[in-house]
Amino acid sequence: MSQVSTVNSESVVESENEIVESKAPSLWARLGAEVIGTFILVFGGLGAAMWGGLQGASQIPSALAFGLALVVAAIAFGQVSGGHFNPAVTLGAAIAGGIKWLHGLYYVIAQVIGGLLAALILYVTLVRVPAFQTPTEGGGLSSFFGQLANGFDDHSQLKLPMLSAALIEIIATAVFVSVILAVGRLKSNKAVGPFAIGLSLAVLLTVLGPFTNGSLNPARSTAVVFFTDGWAVGQLWLFWVAPLIGAALAGLIYRGFIVTDGDAPRTVADAAPLETEGEQELATVAEGQLAGSQATEAAVPESTVNQEARDFFDGKTSPKSADEAKSKED
């Protein structure tokens, strides 16, 4: 009887794995979600910043717009791609073990494309607006984009030196990515996750505004520089290096001090997001199959498919082995 239960358990696990993998979003679907999500984030944040600049408003509305845009994008597309929308977040997830490195590279390319498309549409839409017209065609808008670009020294509101700008971007990005990784471990109240992440982004951008104009996101920084003066391109490197260092610190700290033995994410390619309706259906099917077997108390081992993006690092429970099931029956 124990031998029959072991066979039934293994067949259930295999069927679970096959169905989960078939329900996993394809790589192209995930990349498309990253393009659209980053577009929403950059379009909403930069658009609000432009309007606020024309009205002489503070940077708080712009920071809130970035945060709310991130909430919207995360809710809409987070279950498809994991809702990174930021190369720094992707790096932190890769170091912590939540996404394959090659897929992470694809994510970064998709994010940069999404940000560039958002900035391009804003530029093309506003280039003929009278408020941005100057004797040099497009010069007014180009100069205005320069006010949205990230910078240091003379291009910082507080004339922040380069090293200080790098330090504050590193620390702020580390905090932001840490929040994302921590939210990914929530096993209850997961609906609050996007709001926690969006609010943390808004708060950090409000703080960083006078220092560097608030980056935290290399894709957002890159989106602006092609539509303004050359100084922005010359200073762009810092707003890639600093956020990536901060994200790497967050990922290393998470992996080294938070993820415990037996809790570390496994590396299985093309993993499906967890807690989906399909996975709940799998649990129901598995219970029905085991109930019909001769094993009265045999438990179904958990799927060995590792999650890749959304809910990065939920704790894993080691599947019960055949020996454990056998001893329990005996």
Side-chain angles (χ1 to χ4, degrees):
M1 182 170 66
S2 61
Q3 183 177 3
V4 174
S5 66
T6 301
V7 173
N8 289 337
S9 298
E10 291 176 351
S11 63
V12 170
V13 173
E14 291 176 359
S15 63
E16 278 186 330
N17 291 342
E18 291 175 359
I19 299 175
V20 169
E21 290 177 0
S22 67
K23 288 183 175 292
S26 68
L27 178 59
W28 285 109
R30 284 176 274 156
L31 295 179
E34 286 295 306
V35 171
I36 299 172
T38 310
F39 178 93
I40 293 172
L41 173 63
V42 176
F43 187 83
L46 291 185
M50 287 182 173
W51 177 250
L54 287 176
Q55 301 299 313
S58 68
Q59 293 181 324
I60 295 178
S62 172
L64 288 175
F66 270 109
L68 291 175
L70 181 57
V71 170
V72 170
I75 292 175
F77 300 102
Q79 293 191 14
V80 179
S81 67
H84 295 193
F85 316 135
N86 183 338
V89 174
T90 299
L91 177 63
I95 291 175
I99 186 174
K100 292 175 64 176
W101 284 99
L102 182 58
H103 290 184
L105 176 60
Y106 295 154
Y107 268 44
V108 171
I109 295 173
Q111 293 153 5
V112 172
I113 291 174
L116 285 173
L117 287 175
L120 176 62
I121 290 177
L122 286 173
Y123 188 89
V124 172
T125 302
L126 299 175
V127 70
R128 296 296 179 181
V129 173
F132 297 118
Q133 292 299 303
T134 64
T136 302
E137 186 174 348
L141 184 56
S142 231
S143 176
F144 197 78
F145 263 89
Q147 299 176 27
L148 304 178
N150 303 114
F152 53 88
D153 288 335
D154 292 337
H155 301 290
S156 163
Q157 295 183 33
L158 298 178
K159 309 297 182 184
L160 197 68
M162 180 185 68
L163 292 179
S164 298
L167 178 61
I168 196 168
E169 285 283 342
I170 289 172
I171 298 302
T173 307
V175 171
F176 179 56
V177 175
S178 296
V179 169
I180 294 175
L181 296 179
V183 165
R185 287 184 54 83
L186 290 177
K187 295 184 179 181
S188 60
N189 296 326
K190 293 189 177 186
V192 305
F195 294 95
I197 295 170
L199 288 174
S200 67
L201 177 62
V203 170
L204 291 170
L205 289 180
T206 301
V207 174
L208 264 64
F211 296 99
T212 62
N213 218 12
S215 175
L216 303 177
N217 187 336
R220 169 261 190 268
S221 300
T222 303
V224 178
V225 299
F226 294 101
F227 306 98
T228 187
D229 301 327
W231 69 263
V233 176
Q235 295 191 355
L236 177 63
W237 66 270
L238 185 138
F239 300 100
W240 273 88
V241 173
L244 292 181
I245 291 176
L249 288 175
L252 290 172
I253 291 172
Y254 186 91
R255 190 160 193 163
F257 298 98
I258 298 179
V259 176
T260 59
D261 294 339
D263 185 46
R266 287 161 287 186
T267 54
V268 178
D270 297 325
L274 298 184
E275 299 296 329
T276 62
E277 294 180 0
E279 195 167 354
Q280 294 173 1
E281 294 173 359
L282 288 176
T284 304
V285 171
E287 290 176 2
Q289 291 183 8
L290 285 179
S293 69
Q294 298 181 14
T296 57
E297 296 182 3
V300 181
E302 295 184 356
S303 170
T304 57
V305 177
N306 177 40
Q307 55 189 324
E308 177 175 328
R310 181 176 174 270
D311 297 337
F312 296 124
F313 312 114
D314 282 352
K316 76 176 183 181
T317 302
S318 299
K320 294 182 178 180
S321 65
D323 294 337
E324 292 174 334
K326 182 176 179 180
S327 62
K328 187 174 182 179
E329 290 179 358
D330 295 338

